Amino acid sequence: MEPRAPSEFVVQGIAASAGIAYGPAFLYLQNELEVPRYTVEPGKLAAEIARFDQALVTTRQQISRIQAQVKQNLSEEEALIFDAHQMVLEDQALIGETLRELEATGLNIETCFNTVAQRYIAAFAEIDDEYLRERAADIKDVTKRLLHVLLGQTAANLTGLVEQRIIVAHDISPSEAAGIDRSSALGIVTDIGSRTSHAVIVARSMKIPAVVGARDLTTKVQSGDRLIVDGYEGVVIVHPTEATLLRYGKIEAEKKSFESRLLAANELPAETLDGVRVTLRANIEKPDEVALVRHYRGEGVGLYRTEFLFLNSPTVPTEEEQYAAYRAIVEGLAPAPVTIRTLDLGGDKPLPGDLQLGGPEANPFLGFRAIRMCLEHPELFKDQLRAILRASAHGRVELMYPMISGAEELDRANALLDEARAELRARGQAFDEKLRTGAMIEIPSAALVADLLAPKCDFFSLGTNDLIQYLLAIDRGNHRIAHLYDPSHPAVLRVLKLVIDAAQRHRIKVGLCGEMAGDPVYAPLLLGLGVDELSMTPPLLPAVKFLIRNTKFSDAKKLAAEALAQTDPRQTYALIEAFYRARVRAE
Ligand code: PEP
Ligand code: MG
């Protein structure tokens, strides 16, 4: 009898990154490994040693492959970390001790190696020397990989993904996401997460279709199962039938044809039907996204999240390293401006183990994050400020502080910026004396004192991802409450209005760089409220520009007034969606 094809089933999650992907799953399980423990028959000890030798060779080959990939996708420097990993595998002390453990206990080689490695990790981790502590992280990483090889399992590493697969994971950290190779990740599905989690933002910037909040999908699929990821509707279809594939082929073709029309219209300026010009800029995480910004005609960068430079580096990047990265972006886009945001580490972007500045926290989103961390580490902060200032000599740079909560914090940040300027003058190094500085408005307290902040900066940038999180008390990464995360909540609209009005009274520009900026449904509302600039993941620019070009500013203002008068967020959304649909249909 023919084996029956597994039946199709559908899982509804949250649409996180547009597009449709079809292909085999790669189940990415980051769970702790279970190492089996058993006694080896005395006659089989030699075979156990041979198994160990073979695993060492295979692991070395794996690491070399990953190293070559990282070199190609990221940089030579980032690939260097794997040299340290190779050294662990060649460490005669570690290997010798493992073999002695085998002789002494007669236990299986996985147990022996793990026992010795854990001893090393514990010893290194305790040493009060950053370099040696780093070795503990290397040994940990390599141990996991070697054990995976010994146990015949696929090592959990997204950088090493070489075949074209759909990544299915419980969760993906921002640094793991940053290590994903665009050409091998067809799609991403996670059990948890929300539209504004940083891993998703990275997926969107790479144009990888993604669905998050797929509940327990990792327990329902296996590596190799065929999946459709519908990043438009937030749906995952496991074992799709021929009929479903056909339907999705058609949807994809229709969306593609709409997208190509959008791209053609994207060559025109972002101007409303009644001649109001809007600035559309791009959000980027990595210097190599400059090409993407140009491709999608971003008018420069409205948000460069510099923390990704730190997340992808084994050591804290020096002033020189940062300067080189910032300068490359600024020169790559000149004369268009680049808004460089100072470090926003913490929250869901903790520093990798060895760079830890704060230590674990019960509520990281309410904790030692962004400007708070920088103000307590002025040397680290000033390295970055000098690097940004120096990059400003090579094009148009704007500097922006994240997570400002009040005027005093802004004063302290600006005082350190003045110190950095003075240090560069003393060194005789050039920078733009007229560098514009801005504050992100993403904490409700900052919004409420926007009138006090406005005289101290040149622009505001509304960070709605965090602003909504803090205003509505909804963890932006928690899928259980993701449905409550609502940009059309009356409180959100009122706060946006408050900030925009304060900016206008003080004659400073106000932009918006949260994910809300990249949703074309919200574009007319934001215009009508008075936002001057929208900044978003580059691939979203054409759709937003399309809406702007099909909207009259006078209508957008009326829409904003009507939306502000609503009391029920569902009605507000219905109102702005109807406005959007009328313009898309009219095309
Ligand atoms: C925001 O909070 O809206 C924002 C743009 O910053 P991030 O997503 O990096 O926190
Ligand atoms: Mg933010």
Side-chain angles (χ1 to χ4, degrees):
M1 213 169 59
E2 281 276 302
R4 269 206 303 155
S7 16
E8 169 179 308
F9 64 93
V10 178
V11 176
Q12 179 71 54
I14 301 165
S17 174
I20 289 169
Y22 170 62
F26 169 72
L27 198 56
Y28 176 60
L29 296 175
Q30 307 101 314
N31 299 347
E32 280 303 307
L33 258 179
E34 271 192 40
V35 182
R37 181 190 174 94
Y38 54 90
T39 307
V40 178
E41 288 171 35
K44 295 206 170 141
L45 286 183
E48 205 64 1
I49 296 175
R51 214 155 63 77
F52 184 47
D53 284 341
Q54 183 53 49
L56 285 169
V57 173
T58 309
T59 312
R60 278 186 208 125
Q61 287 167 345
Q62 264 188 12
I63 294 178
S64 301
R65 246 192 342 259
I66 296 169
Q67 186 164 28
Q69 279 230 323
V70 171
K71 205 183 275 184
Q72 195 188 338
N73 294 339
L74 298 171
S75 73
E76 190 131 347
E77 235 173 296
E78 266 141 339
L80 281 181
I81 180 177
F82 296 101
D83 279 346
H85 289 195
Q86 294 286 25
M87 272 158 65
V88 174
L89 288 171
E90 281 154 22
D91 186 334
Q92 288 312 313
L94 184 71
I95 295 172
E97 261 188 64
T98 302
L99 297 179
R100 278 194 293 281
E101 184 82 11
L102 176 71
E103 249 171 58
T105 63
L107 290 170
N108 60 321
I109 198 73
E110 290 89 346
T111 303
C112 297
F113 175 69
N114 196 30
T115 310
V116 175
Q118 296 307 332
R119 256 201 317 261
Y120 269 65
I121 293 167
F124 276 115
E126 272 180 17
I127 300 175
D128 192 17
D129 175 296
E130 206 174 305
Y131 174 78
L132 290 176
R133 272 203 312 273
E134 251 170 51
R135 300 284 70 76
D138 292 337
I139 302 174
K140 215 175 197 170
D141 211 318
V142 173
T143 301
K144 208 161 152 192
R145 188 172 291 283
L146 187 78
L147 287 172
H148 271 294
V149 171
L150 279 168
L151 297 169
Q153 298 175 3
T154 317
N157 188 322
L158 290 177
T159 318
L161 182 64
V162 279
E163 289 166 52
Q164 291 213 312
R165 295 289 192 102
I166 291 170
I167 298 167
V168 180
H170 181 64
D171 192 16
I172 296 177
S173 73
S175 51
E176 284 170 323
I180 292 174
D181 177 8
R182 266 166 241 211
S183 58
S184 52
L186 294 174
I188 298 176
V189 186
T190 58
D191 287 346
I192 62 170
S194 74
R195 263 187 68 76
T196 57
S197 52
H198 282 101
V200 166
I201 294 174
V202 172
R204 262 204 293 276
S205 75
M206 294 200 277
K207 279 202 95 177
I208 301 175
V211 170
V212 297
R215 314 282 153 156
D216 50 359
L217 191 70
T218 49
T219 63
K220 294 187 183 149
V221 301
Q222 292 179 351
S223 280
D225 282 354
R226 302 237 142 219
L227 312 180
I228 290 176
V229 177
D230 177 350
Y232 298 108
E233 302 296 332
V235 166
V236 181
I237 302 171
V238 186
H239 308 308
T241 60
E242 289 292 317
T244 307
L245 283 172
L246 201 68
R247 184 160 57 83
Y248 265 94
K250 278 196 193 135
I251 296 176
E252 180 65 343
E254 276 167 21
K255 302 256 185 201
K256 281 245 161 77
S257 110
F258 183 58
E259 262 172 32
S260 55
R261 279 196 298 143
L262 288 186
L263 272 182
N266 199 36
E267 299 304 316
L268 302 163
E271 197 173 282
T272 60
L273 289 171
D274 45 358
V276 175
R277 189 72 170 76
V278 185
T279 307
L280 293 188
R281 292 203 197 157
N283 293 354
I284 61 169
E285 281 79 48
K286 292 195 272 184
D288 66 6
E289 284 173 292
V290 162
L292 216 55
V293 180
R294 287 163 157 271
H295 176 75
Y296 288 105
R297 305 287 182 255
E299 299 168 78
V301 165
L303 166 64
Y304 167 36
R305 293 181 164 99
T306 56
E307 55 277 7
F308 280 85
L309 196 65
F310 287 62
L311 290 173
N312 287 324
S313 165
T315 51
V316 175
T318 60
E319 178 187 325
E320 285 309 313
E321 286 164 343
Q322 292 185 56
Y323 165 58
Y326 305 156
R327 179 178 170 174
I329 297 174
V330 172
E331 286 184 337
L333 289 169
V338 176
T339 309
I340 304 181
R341 180 175 75 180
T342 62
L343 274 178
D344 182 3
L345 288 164
D348 65 342
K349 290 174 290 193
L351 269 178
D354 299 315
L355 309 184
Q356 209 50 273
L357 293 171
E361 295 177 296
N363 288 305
F365 271 121
L366 299 180
F368 195 52
R369 187 184 160 188
I371 198 74
R372 303 169 181 182
M373 181 187 277
C374 288
L375 292 176
E376 279 202 31
H377 290 277
E379 292 316 313
L380 174 95
F381 191 37
K382 278 203 292 176
D383 276 350
Q384 178 169 48
L385 295 176
R386 284 192 304 269
I388 297 174
L389 282 167
R390 287 171 60 191
S392 74
H394 302 278
R396 258 183 75 197
V397 172
E398 293 177 342
L399 183 146
M400 172 162 92
Y401 306 116
M403 295 278 290
I404 290 290
S405 66
E408 184 259 356
E409 216 165 29
L410 185 55
D411 285 339
R412 285 174 62 203
N414 277 333
L416 288 168
L417 182 61
D418 279 339
E419 280 181 31
R421 285 190 179 107
E423 285 155 8
L424 290 182
R425 282 188 202 108
R427 284 188 202 165
Q429 282 173 324
F431 62 91
D432 175 7
E433 292 280 353
K434 295 207 193 86
L435 174 100
R436 284 159 44 84
T437 57
M440 283 200 71
I441 306 295
E442 51 183 347
I443 298 185
S445 59
L448 289 169
V449 296
D451 59 324
L452 305 182
L453 300 175
K456 298 175 190 291
C457 50
D458 301 305
F459 64 93
F460 284 157
S461 186
L462 283 154
T464 43
N465 301 341
D466 280 312
L467 188 58
I468 298 173
Q469 145 167 277
Y470 295 126
L471 197 59
L472 304 184
I474 289 165
D475 178 346
R476 61 193 264 191
N478 185 342
H479 70 285
R480 241 186 271 163
I481 46 168
H483 60 288
L484 301 174
Y485 189 98
D486 190 354
S488 23
H489 193 292
V492 175
L493 300 196
R494 287 182 195 188
V495 164
L496 293 182
K497 170 115 178 60
L498 187 81
V499 176
I500 294 164
D501 286 352
Q504 289 178 344
R505 272 200 311 280
H506 288 86
R507 296 186 200 294
I508 64 169
K509 293 247 177 223
V510 57
L512 194 149
C513 63
E515 293 310 292
M516 196 178 173
D519 186 341
V521 175
Y522 284 103
L525 169 72
L526 297 174
L527 276 195
L529 284 171
V531 166
D532 302 296
E533 174 191 312
L534 295 171
S535 190
M536 66 207 77
T537 300
L540 302 179
L541 284 160
V544 172
K545 187 183 279 186
F546 177 86
L547 241 288
I548 289 170
R549 290 189 52 81
N550 283 285
T551 297
K552 265 192 187 166
F553 182 62
S554 54
D555 289 342
K557 268 173 85 169
K558 278 187 220 142
L559 176 72
E562 268 183 73
L564 278 166
Q566 299 297 322
T567 51
D568 180 343
R570 283 166 304 183
Q571 277 163 12
T572 312
Y573 192 78
L575 190 74
I576 60 173
E577 206 194 13
F579 189 97
Y580 162 82
R581 289 211 181 280
R583 267 121 200 112
V584 174
R585 225 180 291 120
E587 231 297 278

